[in-house]
Amino acid sequence: MLRSLVGSEMCIRDRFNAAMGDAQAMIQEPIESYPCVQSIIQAEDPEAVQKMLQLLRPNQTHISVMGDDFSWANNSAVKTEKYYQVTYAVSKVSEEAMAKWDVEYKGANPDGPVFELPAQNDMIPRDLMVSEVNPDAPVFPALPEPVLVVNDTFGSLYVKTDDVFGDPYIEASFEIKTDAALMEGNLADQAKTKVMAELWATCITESLRTETYAFDSAGLRYGLGVGEGTNLFMSISGMNTAKPAWTTLLRKILNRITTEDISAHTSDKDFLTIYQAISRSLANGLKAGPSAQANRELWAILANTKIPLEEQIKALEQTTYEDVVGFGQKILRRVRVKGFFYGQIPVPRALEMWDSIKESLLDQDAVLSADEEFVPKFRVLPTDQGPFYTAVQGDARGNSTVLVVDGGVLDCADKIAVEILYQSVRQMFFNDLRTKQQTGYVAQTTAMEVARRTVAMFVVVSSWAGPGDLLGRYEIFIQKMLAGLDDGTTLSVDKFASIKRSLLSEFTKPIANIAGMASLMEKVTKEYDGDFLVFKKKQNIISEMTIDRVKASAVRMLGSENKRRLAVLYSPTGVDAGAVPTDYKAYNADIGEFEKRPEFKCQGCVHNCTATPVHNQTHLVFDMYDAFADDSLMSLESQDDLSEALLRDLLN
């Protein structure tokens, strides 16, 4: 996969720091033993242990606790944070507690939990070996192609035994699609379902934390969480290929998620702790800056998976322990699974694990068809009624306007043409709105992919320019930028050639390691529907791209004829958003229709390509990697300054 400039810089910096750390450590230990002496305790030293414990006495430490019992009423220790008005308190540990801890520390009268040394960890692998590699294995942009070994009513399974790296590593991921009927109902019903799913999944992961510690210590990690709607994701990966460890861990996870009554592993008290943590997380989300609050409103309109935080908070307040117990009894009643294995694992062993999953989750009398599973959808605005705007107010200081321009499902060449254009437009927008006009400290634009639709997004946060004023400035910038395509000020011939060379050079960089290869191949199976030639096609499209094609694609997407525009205008409570451009109309919830992501298709030259102009190709539907990562829409809810997300370019 081509990497973004930001991602490459971070990767290089991490590797450099790791190399410098190793070099420094080697000075302190002979190379023959490095890193064993520094990494593994060589001998028991009771005296050293006592010295360390002396430093850990309660009266010599600072203790931070969140969620503890505390009397907030009329307490002088309660303070209010200046900017976000969050209440907090700092208090001393009671003398009684300090005395009990001192008694416990001296050991004369034990008064607390008993700590024991852990038992021998049998999950640690003892026979790790490198596997044989194929000198003729595909080299990026070509990819090893997994085999679709299962494709039935229960789901599909891709498997590829690694022959590129030879490392003792396996990665497995499973996307568990649930019944769309679970998310039916009004907005309040959907919010409660989403909240119950989060509570249920968190109860499971927390209950497994201690039980899976041995596996984690042995280099084998798992993940379990809620994805879109009530869909779940489950993964296992690590530098541990031992079959007993994999089988045991998978069985633990499956047994836990199929336990119908969560009270078997999560008590009322444990549930309350989890409930409070999720409640704080949702409440903290409301304490966001102007652009984040505008983005929440925007994606609540455009995506069927993004439920407003306010609705989730209301739903959580009405959710009980018994509700979650009941929800856990039906979430996995009807499912479909999409699985993926890559690494040092033979196909028969992968099939054994798949059969275990199927045995645990499949109910022969309640098969979930592909048409019945929950799928994310994007609201497609009408082509002849826009552009649209909506205003929202909140407690954050400052103004912000977020504009989205929906370019629709573009073909491969048009999608890449827009992204090439944005290599120049990003900086132009910053220079104009931030440096020249000085509208605000955040001024950014990006092109991204949502449900295979190419979307351009513009955002500014300003202390003085009103939201309506900002929207007008966006439209002026867009028209000036399009005009600059004709005179070369937006994208000169030399700059276009430089961008092409830079993008094509990324195809010469091999995949760094086996984990990176696994991640990329998994994404191809899920995001590109198993088209493992996609990067070869992309490479050829870039090499044949012309500046005229970029101009035509830009006008088609960003020109005034494209009415599929939606702007969210944010201003502080009680402050008017100001007048908007005259062609913008007020948005209401009846406008537009939700559509699911279409099937991935990309027809393009792969071998022995001729000089046929890429603009003569037709029906090339291309899905670039989402600019906002796996959970593209959710990421916008948790940040004000969108710099990191918006700087990820098309090739990450």
Side-chain angles (χ1 to χ4, degrees), residues 387-400:
F388 303 99
Y389 78 93
T390 185
V392 61
Q393 295 186 345
D395 58 359
R397 301 175 182 177
N399 304 312
S400 183

mmCIF file with all atom_site columns, all heavy atoms in Angstrom, residues 387-400:
data_model
loop_
_atom_site.group_PDB
_atom_site.id
_atom_site.type_symbol
_atom_site.label_atom_id
_atom_site.label_alt_id
_atom_site.label_comp_id
_atom_site.label_asym_id
_atom_site.label_entity_id
_atom_site.label_seq_id
_atom_site.pdbx_PDB_ins_code
_atom_site.Cartn_x
_atom_site.Cartn_y
_atom_site.Cartn_z
_atom_site.occupancy
_atom_site.B_iso_or_equiv
_atom_site.pdbx_formal_charge
_atom_site.auth_seq_id
_atom_site.auth_comp_id
_atom_site.auth_asym_id
_atom_site.auth_atom_id
_atom_site.pdbx_PDB_model_num
ATOM 1   N N   . PRO A 1 387 ? -27.596 23.420 -3.490 1.00 0.00 ? 387 PRO A N   1
ATOM 2   C CA  . PRO A 1 387 ? -26.909 22.918 -2.291 1.00 0.00 ? 387 PRO A CA  1
ATOM 3   C C   . PRO A 1 387 ? -27.697 23.222 -1.009 1.00 0.00 ? 387 PRO A C   1
ATOM 4   O O   . PRO A 1 387 ? -28.606 24.042 -1.023 1.00 0.00 ? 387 PRO A O   1
ATOM 5   C CB  . PRO A 1 387 ? -25.578 23.671 -2.315 1.00 0.00 ? 387 PRO A CB  1
ATOM 6   C CG  . PRO A 1 387 ? -25.896 24.946 -3.044 1.00 0.00 ? 387 PRO A CG  1
ATOM 7   C CD  . PRO A 1 387 ? -26.916 24.596 -4.074 1.00 0.00 ? 387 PRO A CD  1
ATOM 8   N N   . PHE A 1 388 ? -27.288 22.543 0.104  1.00 0.00 ? 388 PHE A N   1
ATOM 9   C CA  . PHE A 1 388 ? -28.035 22.630 1.348  1.00 0.00 ? 388 PHE A CA  1
ATOM 10  C C   . PHE A 1 388 ? -27.138 23.091 2.495  1.00 0.00 ? 388 PHE A C   1
ATOM 11  O O   . PHE A 1 388 ? -25.925 22.932 2.448  1.00 0.00 ? 388 PHE A O   1
ATOM 12  C CB  . PHE A 1 388 ? -28.638 21.272 1.703  1.00 0.00 ? 388 PHE A CB  1
ATOM 13  C CG  . PHE A 1 388 ? -29.522 20.691 0.641  1.00 0.00 ? 388 PHE A CG  1
ATOM 14  C CD1 . PHE A 1 388 ? -29.033 19.725 -0.235 1.00 0.00 ? 388 PHE A CD1 1
ATOM 15  C CD2 . PHE A 1 388 ? -30.837 21.107 0.509  1.00 0.00 ? 388 PHE A CD2 1
ATOM 16  C CE1 . PHE A 1 388 ? -29.842 19.187 -1.221 1.00 0.00 ? 388 PHE A CE1 1
ATOM 17  C CE2 . PHE A 1 388 ? -31.658 20.581 -0.472 1.00 0.00 ? 388 PHE A CE2 1
ATOM 18  C CZ  . PHE A 1 388 ? -31.163 19.621 -1.340 1.00 0.00 ? 388 PHE A CZ  1
ATOM 19  N N   . TYR A 1 389 ? -27.806 23.627 3.536  1.00 0.00 ? 389 TYR A N   1
ATOM 20  C CA  . TYR A 1 389 ? -27.076 23.976 4.750  1.00 0.00 ? 389 TYR A CA  1
ATOM 21  C C   . TYR A 1 389 ? -27.973 23.712 5.949  1.00 0.00 ? 389 TYR A C   1
ATOM 22  O O   . TYR A 1 389 ? -29.209 23.675 5.843  1.00 0.00 ? 389 TYR A O   1
ATOM 23  C CB  . TYR A 1 389 ? -26.648 25.449 4.732  1.00 0.00 ? 389 TYR A CB  1
ATOM 24  C CG  . TYR A 1 389 ? -27.769 26.411 5.063  1.00 0.00 ? 389 TYR A CG  1
ATOM 25  C CD1 . TYR A 1 389 ? -27.977 26.857 6.379  1.00 0.00 ? 389 TYR A CD1 1
ATOM 26  C CD2 . TYR A 1 389 ? -28.650 26.861 4.067  1.00 0.00 ? 389 TYR A CD2 1
ATOM 27  C CE1 . TYR A 1 389 ? -29.014 27.724 6.680  1.00 0.00 ? 389 TYR A CE1 1
ATOM 28  C CE2 . TYR A 1 389 ? -29.685 27.727 4.367  1.00 0.00 ? 389 TYR A CE2 1
ATOM 29  C CZ  . TYR A 1 389 ? -29.865 28.155 5.674  1.00 0.00 ? 389 TYR A CZ  1
ATOM 30  O OH  . TYR A 1 389 ? -30.892 28.999 5.980  1.00 0.00 ? 389 TYR A OH  1
ATOM 31  N N   . THR A 1 390 ? -27.370 23.532 7.103  1.00 0.00 ? 390 THR A N   1
ATOM 32  C CA  . THR A 1 390 ? -28.092 23.445 8.364  1.00 0.00 ? 390 THR A CA  1
ATOM 33  C C   . THR A 1 390 ? -27.228 24.094 9.438  1.00 0.00 ? 390 THR A C   1
ATOM 34  O O   . THR A 1 390 ? -25.995 24.052 9.353  1.00 0.00 ? 390 THR A O   1
ATOM 35  C CB  . THR A 1 390 ? -28.425 21.985 8.736  1.00 0.00 ? 390 THR A CB  1
ATOM 36  O OG1 . THR A 1 390 ? -29.238 21.963 9.921  1.00 0.00 ? 390 THR A OG1 1
ATOM 37  C CG2 . THR A 1 390 ? -27.159 21.180 9.004  1.00 0.00 ? 390 THR A CG2 1
ATOM 38  N N   . ALA A 1 391 ? -27.860 24.715 10.412 1.00 0.00 ? 391 ALA A N   1
ATOM 39  C CA  . ALA A 1 391 ? -27.134 25.419 11.470 1.00 0.00 ? 391 ALA A CA  1
ATOM 40  C C   . ALA A 1 391 ? -27.262 24.670 12.786 1.00 0.00 ? 391 ALA A C   1
ATOM 41  O O   . ALA A 1 391 ? -28.294 24.066 13.076 1.00 0.00 ? 391 ALA A O   1
ATOM 42  C CB  . ALA A 1 391 ? -27.660 26.847 11.628 1.00 0.00 ? 391 ALA A CB  1
ATOM 43  N N   . VAL A 1 392 ? -26.200 24.700 13.569 1.00 0.00 ? 392 VAL A N   1
ATOM 44  C CA  . VAL A 1 392 ? -26.195 24.050 14.881 1.00 0.00 ? 392 VAL A CA  1
ATOM 45  C C   . VAL A 1 392 ? -25.448 24.949 15.855 1.00 0.00 ? 392 VAL A C   1
ATOM 46  O O   . VAL A 1 392 ? -24.523 25.666 15.464 1.00 0.00 ? 392 VAL A O   1
ATOM 47  C CB  . VAL A 1 392 ? -25.539 22.648 14.800 1.00 0.00 ? 392 VAL A CB  1
ATOM 48  C CG1 . VAL A 1 392 ? -24.087 22.750 14.351 1.00 0.00 ? 392 VAL A CG1 1
ATOM 49  C CG2 . VAL A 1 392 ? -25.632 21.927 16.127 1.00 0.00 ? 392 VAL A CG2 1
ATOM 50  N N   . GLN A 1 393 ? -25.868 24.926 17.121 1.00 0.00 ? 393 GLN A N   1
ATOM 51  C CA  . GLN A 1 393 ? -25.215 25.740 18.140 1.00 0.00 ? 393 GLN A CA  1
ATOM 52  C C   . GLN A 1 393 ? -24.775 24.862 19.298 1.00 0.00 ? 393 GLN A C   1
ATOM 53  O O   . GLN A 1 393 ? -25.311 23.773 19.515 1.00 0.00 ? 393 GLN A O   1
ATOM 54  C CB  . GLN A 1 393 ? -26.166 26.836 18.642 1.00 0.00 ? 393 GLN A CB  1
ATOM 55  C CG  . GLN A 1 393 ? -26.529 27.844 17.572 1.00 0.00 ? 393 GLN A CG  1
ATOM 56  C CD  . GLN A 1 393 ? -27.339 29.004 18.117 1.00 0.00 ? 393 GLN A CD  1
ATOM 57  O OE1 . GLN A 1 393 ? -27.868 28.966 19.215 1.00 0.00 ? 393 GLN A OE1 1
ATOM 58  N NE2 . GLN A 1 393 ? -27.426 30.082 17.326 1.00 0.00 ? 393 GLN A NE2 1
ATOM 59  N N   . GLY A 1 394 ? -23.759 25.330 20.039 1.00 0.00 ? 394 GLY A N   1
ATOM 60  C CA  . GLY A 1 394 ? -23.245 24.557 21.158 1.00 0.00 ? 394 GLY A CA  1
ATOM 61  C C   . GLY A 1 394 ? -22.489 25.427 22.138 1.00 0.00 ? 394 GLY A C   1
ATOM 62  O O   . GLY A 1 394 ? -22.486 26.661 22.032 1.00 0.00 ? 394 GLY A O   1
ATOM 63  N N   . ASP A 1 395 ? -21.809 24.766 23.083 1.00 0.00 ? 395 ASP A N   1
ATOM 64  C CA  . ASP A 1 395 ? -21.137 25.500 24.149 1.00 0.00 ? 395 ASP A CA  1
ATOM 65  C C   . ASP A 1 395 ? -19.690 25.844 23.844 1.00 0.00 ? 395 ASP A C   1
ATOM 66  O O   . ASP A 1 395 ? -19.029 26.520 24.632 1.00 0.00 ? 395 ASP A O   1
ATOM 67  C CB  . ASP A 1 395 ? -21.201 24.697 25.455 1.00 0.00 ? 395 ASP A CB  1
ATOM 68  C CG  . ASP A 1 395 ? -20.579 23.320 25.312 1.00 0.00 ? 395 ASP A CG  1
ATOM 69  O OD1 . ASP A 1 395 ? -20.117 22.989 24.203 1.00 0.00 ? 395 ASP A OD1 1
ATOM 70  O OD2 . ASP A 1 395 ? -20.563 22.568 26.298 1.00 0.00 ? 395 ASP A OD2 1
ATOM 71  N N   . ALA A 1 396 ? -19.162 25.394 22.718 1.00 0.00 ? 396 ALA A N   1
ATOM 72  C CA  . ALA A 1 396 ? -17.773 25.696 22.373 1.00 0.00 ? 396 ALA A CA  1
ATOM 73  C C   . ALA A 1 396 ? -17.647 27.115 21.833 1.00 0.00 ? 396 ALA A C   1
ATOM 74  O O   . ALA A 1 396 ? -18.515 27.602 21.103 1.00 0.00 ? 396 ALA A O   1
ATOM 75  C CB  . ALA A 1 396 ? -17.248 24.700 21.350 1.00 0.00 ? 396 ALA A CB  1
ATOM 76  N N   . ARG A 1 397 ? -16.571 27.762 22.180 1.00 0.00 ? 397 ARG A N   1
ATOM 77  C CA  . ARG A 1 397 ? -16.318 29.111 21.687 1.00 0.00 ? 397 ARG A CA  1
ATOM 78  C C   . ARG A 1 397 ? -15.806 29.052 20.254 1.00 0.00 ? 397 ARG A C   1
ATOM 79  O O   . ARG A 1 397 ? -15.073 28.152 19.878 1.00 0.00 ? 397 ARG A O   1
ATOM 80  C CB  . ARG A 1 397 ? -15.288 29.812 22.568 1.00 0.00 ? 397 ARG A CB  1
ATOM 81  C CG  . ARG A 1 397 ? -15.706 29.924 24.034 1.00 0.00 ? 397 ARG A CG  1
ATOM 82  C CD  . ARG A 1 397 ? -14.596 30.528 24.867 1.00 0.00 ? 397 ARG A CD  1
ATOM 83  N NE  . ARG A 1 397 ? -14.940 30.603 26.283 1.00 0.00 ? 397 ARG A NE  1
ATOM 84  C CZ  . ARG A 1 397 ? -14.130 31.042 27.225 1.00 0.00 ? 397 ARG A CZ  1
ATOM 85  N NH1 . ARG A 1 397 ? -12.907 31.462 26.896 1.00 0.00 ? 397 ARG A NH1 1
ATOM 86  N NH2 . ARG A 1 397 ? -14.518 31.075 28.491 1.00 0.00 ? 397 ARG A NH2 1
ATOM 87  N N   . GLY A 1 398 ? -16.158 30.051 19.477 1.00 0.00 ? 398 GLY A N   1
ATOM 88  C CA  . GLY A 1 398 ? -15.683 30.109 18.105 1.00 0.00 ? 398 GLY A CA  1
ATOM 89  C C   . GLY A 1 398 ? -16.719 29.605 17.126 1.00 0.00 ? 398 GLY A C   1
ATOM 90  O O   . GLY A 1 398 ? -17.711 28.964 17.485 1.00 0.00 ? 398 GLY A O   1
ATOM 91  N N   . ASN A 1 399 ? -16.489 29.903 15.844 1.00 0.00 ? 399 ASN A N   1
ATOM 92  C CA  . ASN A 1 399 ? -17.376 29.490 14.754 1.00 0.00 ? 399 ASN A CA  1
ATOM 93  C C   . ASN A 1 399 ? -16.676 28.458 13.888 1.00 0.00 ? 399 ASN A C   1
ATOM 94  O O   . ASN A 1 399 ? -15.437 28.420 13.810 1.00 0.00 ? 399 ASN A O   1
ATOM 95  C CB  . ASN A 1 399 ? -17.755 30.699 13.889 1.00 0.00 ? 399 ASN A CB  1
ATOM 96  C CG  . ASN A 1 399 ? -18.379 31.816 14.692 1.00 0.00 ? 399 ASN A CG  1
ATOM 97  O OD1 . ASN A 1 399 ? -19.285 31.582 15.484 1.00 0.00 ? 399 ASN A OD1 1
ATOM 98  N ND2 . ASN A 1 399 ? -17.881 33.042 14.497 1.00 0.00 ? 399 ASN A ND2 1
ATOM 99  N N   . SER A 1 400 ? -17.470 27.656 13.206 1.00 0.00 ? 400 SER A N   1
ATOM 100 C CA  . SER A 1 400 ? -16.898 26.693 12.268 1.00 0.00 ? 400 SER A CA  1
ATOM 101 C C   . SER A 1 400 ? -17.931 26.331 11.219 1.00 0.00 ? 400 SER A C   1
ATOM 102 O O   . SER A 1 400 ? -19.134 26.245 11.526 1.00 0.00 ? 400 SER A O   1
ATOM 103 C CB  . SER A 1 400 ? -16.428 25.425 12.987 1.00 0.00 ? 400 SER A CB  1
ATOM 104 O OG  . SER A 1 400 ? -15.823 24.535 12.070 1.00 0.00 ? 400 SER A OG  1
#
